[in-house]
Amino acid sequence: MMLRCGATLAVVAVTMLGASAEAGDVTIPAGTVFYGKISKEISTAELSEGDVIEGSAQLSEALVVGGEAVVAAGAPIKLLVSTLKKGRRARIGDEVTFTPMSTIAVDGSTINLTGSFGAKEATKVAKDVGFGIVTPWTLLKKGAAAKVPEGRVFDATIPAGTLVRVPNAK
């Protein structure tokens, strides 16, 4: 009876931790949220809506499920420029929204992501009005590119349960 109870507890523990019955496989539950960070400044100066950005974002710390690291710290995160409003006249700056697209698990598989974060360059006309120096030239000047600084943290979500083969699993 004791063995049966212990076995039941082990099955419950494995299920709760997201691991499958097969050794080395771990399921990342749907809705898992983790944090990424910008590893290299991103500027909208050379971007267009729909661009995919690689090499500018990474996982800020390892994603651990059931005691196993399923995505390593520093794993690259692909970003999509989901919306981009280029600066207009009157020194109105760019506005951009990024969507985390995917990252790479420890087994080399691609993990799809969802979420969004944005950046907006401040409008300079308000500053000019404050200084009392609005000129026709100021109103004709285009706004600046939006920049996402290195080190900015953002969150991303794994939308569907995802199976990862973990090498050297416990």
Side-chain angles (χ1 to χ4, degrees):
M1 185 68 169
M2 183 66 128
L3 179 60
R4 184 180 177 115
C5 181
T8 302
L9 286 175
V11 169
V12 169
V14 166
T15 303
M16 288 176 55
L17 294 174
S20 71
E22 230 177 283
D25 288 350
V26 176
T27 300
I28 305 171
T32 298
V33 177
F34 64 89
Y35 296 97
K37 69 178 176 181
I38 301 300
S39 54
K40 185 173 103 181
E41 181 181 83
I42 302 171
S43 171
T44 59
E46 301 297 321
L47 293 178
S48 298
E49 193 168 303
D51 284 353
V52 174
I53 303 170
E54 297 186 45
S56 292
Q58 62 186 26
L59 218 68
S60 58
E61 56 186 58
L63 178 59
V64 178
V65 176
E68 300 291 342
V70 292
V71 183
I77 299 173
K78 282 186 188 177
L79 301 174
L80 170 69
V81 179
S82 46
T83 61
L84 177 60
K85 293 180 185 173
K86 289 288 191 174
R88 299 171 297 282
R89 301 288 179 220
R91 297 182 70 183
I92 296 172
D94 290 357
E95 291 182 47
V96 64
T97 304
F98 297 97
T99 300
M101 293 178 62
S102 64
T103 190
I104 305 297
V106 294
D107 65 359
S109 64
T110 298
I111 298 177
N112 294 320
L113 305 173
T114 189
S116 68
F117 65 98
K120 180 178 179 179
E121 181 59 28
T123 300
K124 303 292 193 267
V125 170
K127 290 181 182 178
D128 293 344
V129 169
F131 292 123
I133 53 171
V134 176
T135 65
W137 175 250
T138 300
L139 297 176
L140 293 175
K141 191 171 181 185
K142 186 178 175 201
K147 294 180 182 175
V148 182
E150 181 178 340
R152 165 134 185 228
V153 176
F154 60 92
D155 62 286
T157 303
I158 298 173
T162 306
L163 186 68
V164 175
R165 166 80 55 191
V166 179
N168 304 321
K170 296 175 190 169

